[in-house]
Amino acid sequence: MKSAVRHVQEVIDAANATGELAWFNTAYRAWRLDAKKIGSGMSYAEARARLRKAVTKRLITLDVLDCSERLLPDIFPLLGNVEQEPAEKCPTR
């Protein structure tokens, strides 16, 4: 389990270094601005932890190493009182 978590972190770090996680940073910013409107929030560190958890879960359960936008629903919870576009329709997510 520890080696899987370490491997996931290495993959996330590499994806971040190459710009493949630009979608994550854009989605975090958009979610944070929406959450602020209703007095909610999440730190960037927590969002990164949720990303690691989502990637690790897919690796363990599906044997798939995925750092793509398909993880958005697992990382950013829907906000009750703010109009949000579904991730697949939102060009910034």
Side-chain angles (χ1 to χ4, degrees), residues 30-42 76-84 93:
W31 186 91
R32 183 179 49 101
L33 292 173
D34 286 344
K36 188 176 181 179
K37 293 175 187 174
I38 62 169
S40 188
M42 175 190 319
F76 302 107
L78 290 176
L79 300 169
N81 298 333
V82 176
E83 191 70 31
Q84 288 183 298
R93 294 186 184 183

Side-chain angles (χ1 to χ4, degrees), residues 23-24 27 31 42 50-51 54 57-58 66 68-79 84-88 93:
W23 66 265
F24 173 80
W31 186 91
M42 175 190 319
R50 286 170 167 254
L51 172 65
K57 181 178 177 182
R58 286 204 178 185
D66 181 13
S68 73
E69 294 177 57
R70 289 185 290 270
L71 300 173
L72 281 171
D74 296 331
I75 301 167
F76 302 107
L78 290 176
L79 300 169
Q84 288 183 298
E85 293 183 45
E88 64 273 3
R93 294 186 184 183

Side-chain angles (χ1 to χ4, degrees), residues 9 12-17 19-33 35 40-53 72 75-77:
Q9 187 59 53
I12 289 172
D13 291 343
N16 195 38
E20 291 177 59
L21 282 186
W23 66 265
F24 173 80
N25 294 317
T26 301
Y28 171 73
R29 183 176 188 281
W31 186 91
R32 183 179 49 101
L33 292 173
S40 188
M42 175 190 319
S43 69
Y44 186 76
E46 183 180 348
R48 287 289 298 244
R50 286 170 167 254
L51 172 65
R52 274 191 310 277
K53 181 179 177 183
L72 281 171
I75 301 167
F76 302 107

